[in-house]
Each structure stands twice: as C-alpha cells, then as structure tokens.
Amino acid sequence: MGDESTALQRVLRKAGGPEILDVLAERLSGADLTTLLLEVMRVRARGLTPADVLRRYTTDRFVGPATVPFERIRRVEDAVLSVVPADFELLTLAPVAPLGAHSAPATVDQNKVITTIRNTEVAADPTNALALEAAVRRRRSTDPVRLAAFQRVVRAQHFAGAGAYAHFGLFALVSGDRDTGNLAFERRHLAEHLRVLTDAVRACGIPDPEVRITVLDPRFERVADGVGGTDDPDRRSGRGYYTGLCFKIYADGVEVGDGGFVDWTARLLGNRKERLLISALGVDRLS
C-alpha cells in the first residue's frame, strides 16, 4: 500500500497536482470521463508501432494465450457439463461487467480487477455477473433461480507458483431464493452445489475430492453437519466476503473450488430476505 501511495503522489505531481484526481473522479460525469479517456487512448494508440504492440504482447502477462492446452481445457469443460443438473440454466456471460460489479456487492478491491475506460471492468469472477442476473430475475419473479456459466476471467493481482494464472477459466454456480426460515434454503442448496461440484471433479478423473467447510456463524453448524466434509476452522480467506458458511474443494491436495453464502442479492435488491449461494471450480487447475 505504501508503494502504491508513493506512486500515486508522484503521478499526481506530474499531472499538475492532487486537484486533477478530484476533477476526474468526482467532477466529471461518467460519460464525460469516458469521452476524455477515449481520446487519451486514441492518441496513445496512434503513437504505437506494430513493433511496440508485438513487444507488449510478449511481455504483458494478461494478453498471452493460456499455458494449459486447449484440448485439456475442453475435456474438463465437457466433463463438468456432463454432471450439471437440468435445473441449472447455463448462460454465456459477457466478457465485461458494469463498473463496481466486483467491489460494490462484494469486498473486492477495485485494484484487483482490470477497469476499462467505458465504465465497465473485465470479468474477474463469473459469480458476480451471475449474481446480477439472479437479482434481475428475482426482481421480476418469486421463482428460485439456479444459474451456471463457464467464463474466462482476468485477475489483476500477481500470484506466484504452479497453477497461478493471470487469466483462467472458471465454472460457476449461483442459487438464489427467498428465506423461508429454519435455514431451509441454506441446507438444500449447499448440498446441491457440493454434489454438483464433487461430481464434476470425479468426472474429470479425480476419484476422491475433499470438501473443507468453514462455519462463520454458529447457527450454520447444523447446515455443515448435513453435508459432511472436513472442518476447516482456521481458514482465513473469505472472511468478510462470505456469510454464514464457506467451503473449499481439493483434488489430490490442490485447491480447485471455492464457494459460500453471500448477501449480494439482498443488497442489490434491498431485501434482507433474499438468499444467495455461489461457488466455482477452476477449469485450468482441473485440466
């Protein structure tokens, strides 16, 4: 954070002072800011040569092709699809989402996503877009919502080590409905998500996926008891992001899946009775 702050102060001095940040962030409308930034990028692009573009292609970790072969990714996608119940509607998501889609409903820092100059951001997690779609459908109808999608996403933060990629594929599920009491939604849909995800891992040729469950609220102990799995009370990630309960899925000791309950549709719709469960599997890691 210190390095980022120092860099920002340096840039603001070069740009004419800290007032420029106020002008860009607060005083210009979204449309006016887009107009300005489009012209900035047009001028910058006009100064690039083909050699500049090629050099950037070979050095920018966000733009190169996946390191996992296409055939392996496709086999995993087909295997996952083979176990998805008909109750889940498969969507083809857009590669971008509205600005704030990852930071407003959730707790993701905006610096962790790639923001565009058109008030959008590159998809960093399909569950966020599926949650927006679930909210739209829940606003129109009281029917429960079950949605699924494959999406290639980009994460701006830098991860090191095997299985860490700048862009990668995720298979995601979301289930949304209204609270009916007695944690009925939570018990039903958690069991369903875990069944689909573990079946998907097995369909990829990994016979014994491990589910590790972290209870974040004591009331959810009985929800966890109903699905089995291994207790994981020491998990640190996801606290403040998930509510009630969250889980991870491991295949041969490697983390391949994650999920839990979130309050996103409750916040999007302004209705505390709305419930949402999200989960995802890493396609590239399974490959």
Side-chain angles (χ1 to χ4, degrees):
M1 182 63 70
D3 291 343
E4 290 180 4
S5 178
T6 300
L8 175 60
Q9 296 306 316
R10 175 181 56 78
V11 171
L12 290 176
R13 286 195 299 271
K14 186 179 293 187
E19 297 80 9
I20 189 67
L21 182 60
D22 176 64
V23 171
L24 296 176
E26 302 291 344
R27 290 169 55 186
L28 289 182
S29 68
D32 286 347
L33 179 61
T34 297
T35 298
L36 174 63
L37 294 178
L38 284 173
E39 181 61 16
V40 168
M41 292 305 168
R42 187 185 71 83
V43 172
R44 282 182 172 268
R46 189 172 59 196
L48 296 174
T49 67
D52 293 329
V53 176
L54 180 60
R55 183 164 51 251
R56 183 61 181 265
Y57 178 75
T58 60
T59 59
D60 190 331
R61 65 190 178 91
F62 294 123
V63 301
T67 58
V68 181
F70 169 82
E71 294 81 4
R72 287 167 59 183
I73 290 177
R74 184 56 183 266
R75 283 198 297 269
V76 165
E77 291 177 341
D78 288 342
V80 171
L81 280 176
S82 71
V83 302
V84 178
D87 288 344
F88 282 90
E89 180 182 348
L90 281 156
L91 301 182
T92 302
L93 298 174
V96 295
L99 179 66
H102 300 86
S103 62
T107 57
V108 176
D109 190 294
Q110 192 64 30
N111 286 340
K112 294 182 178 180
V113 302
I114 297 180
T115 306
T116 79
I117 61 176
R118 294 181 181 269
N119 285 310
T120 60
E121 54 197 43
V122 178
D125 193 318
T127 61
N128 294 79
L130 290 176
L132 291 172
E133 182 63 23
V136 169
R137 297 185 182 205
R138 290 288 300 157
R139 186 168 57 189
R140 293 197 304 247
S141 170
T142 59
D143 293 338
V145 174
R146 290 181 177 86
L147 302 174
F150 287 98
Q151 189 174 43
R152 196 144 195 95
V153 301
V154 183
R155 300 276 175 88
Q157 68 265 51
H158 196 285
F159 295 106
Y165 312 103
H167 62 85
F168 50 91
L170 289 175
F171 169 71
L173 302 171
V174 304
S175 296
D177 202 352
R178 187 177 177 86
D179 177 37
T180 57
N182 199 33
L183 295 174
F185 169 88
E186 289 79 0
R187 289 185 284 112
R188 175 182 180 183
H189 291 282
L190 178 63
E192 184 173 53
H193 276 228
L194 290 179
R195 182 170 60 252
V196 174
L197 297 179
T198 54
D199 284 351
V201 173
R202 293 187 187 97
C204 294
I206 305 169
D208 298 309
E210 179 190 5
V211 177
R212 301 181 189 177
I213 296 178
T214 302
V215 174
L216 305 172
D217 182 331
R219 295 178 303 148
F220 282 70
E221 290 284 1
R222 58 196 179 105
V223 178
D225 291 341
V227 296
T230 303
D231 290 337
D232 188 14
D234 297 327
R235 170 179 171 170
R236 306 317 310 167
S237 64
R239 295 178 184 270
Y241 185 87
Y242 294 114
T243 63
L245 179 152
C246 57
F247 61 86
K248 287 184 179 292
I249 296 178
Y250 290 80
D252 293 335
V254 177
E255 180 188 333
V256 296
D258 186 72
F261 297 99
V262 293
D263 62 357
W264 300 350
T265 46
R267 297 173 63 194
L268 289 165
L269 297 172
N271 186 336
R272 295 172 61 186
K273 289 288 188 179
E274 287 294 321
R275 297 290 182 265
L276 190 72
L277 174 63
I278 67 171
S279 63
L281 288 174
V283 173
D284 292 53
R285 285 194 176 184
L286 283 171
S287 299

